[in-house]
Amino acid sequence: MAQKKREPYQKKRPKSGHQSKGGVAEDYDEVKKCTTFGITPTAKKGLNLLARKHNVSVSEFIEQIGRGILIVALEKTAVITQKNG
């Protein structure tokens, strides 16, 4: 069975001289933990589209919102901006 080609946002950024190890913090000062929450299929589709637009995985997209890296402005139409700095 052929493997599905990964989108650019699904690939880890290369780090010279660094081997990825499960359970070891790579991008932040702490290790990500699996978390489960329920959303509608429409919300899931929307998150996938927004994450793809920002060239990150849905997990990373939610992480950046939670850390305040991406700001969500609630209006008639949602606007998402990236914090500079």
Side-chain angles (χ1 to χ4, degrees), residues 17-47:
H18 178 79
Q19 182 175 357
S20 178
K21 296 178 184 171
V24 177
E26 292 186 21
D27 293 329
Y28 303 106
D29 57 347
E30 56 192 322
V31 178
K32 289 183 180 180
K33 304 269 184 203
C34 287
T35 303
T36 303
F37 55 94
I39 57 174
T40 65
T42 301
K44 182 178 178 182
K45 184 177 179 182
L47 281 172

Side-chain angles (χ1 to χ4, degrees), residues 39 69 75:
I39 57 174
I69 297 167
E75 297 177 7

Side-chain angles (χ1 to χ4, degrees), residues 60-78:
E60 182 60 21
F61 184 73
I62 294 169
E63 178 81 22
Q64 289 183 12
I65 291 171
R67 288 179 172 271
I69 297 167
L70 289 176
I71 307 299
V72 178
L74 302 175
E75 297 177 7
K76 281 189 175 183
T77 51

Side-chain angles (χ1 to χ4, degrees), residues 2-4 9-10 18-19 23 25 51 66 69 74 76 78-79 84:
Q3 285 188 337
K4 181 179 170 186
Y9 66 88
Q10 293 174 316
H18 178 79
Q19 182 175 357
I69 297 167
L74 302 175
K76 281 189 175 183
V79 178
N84 292 330

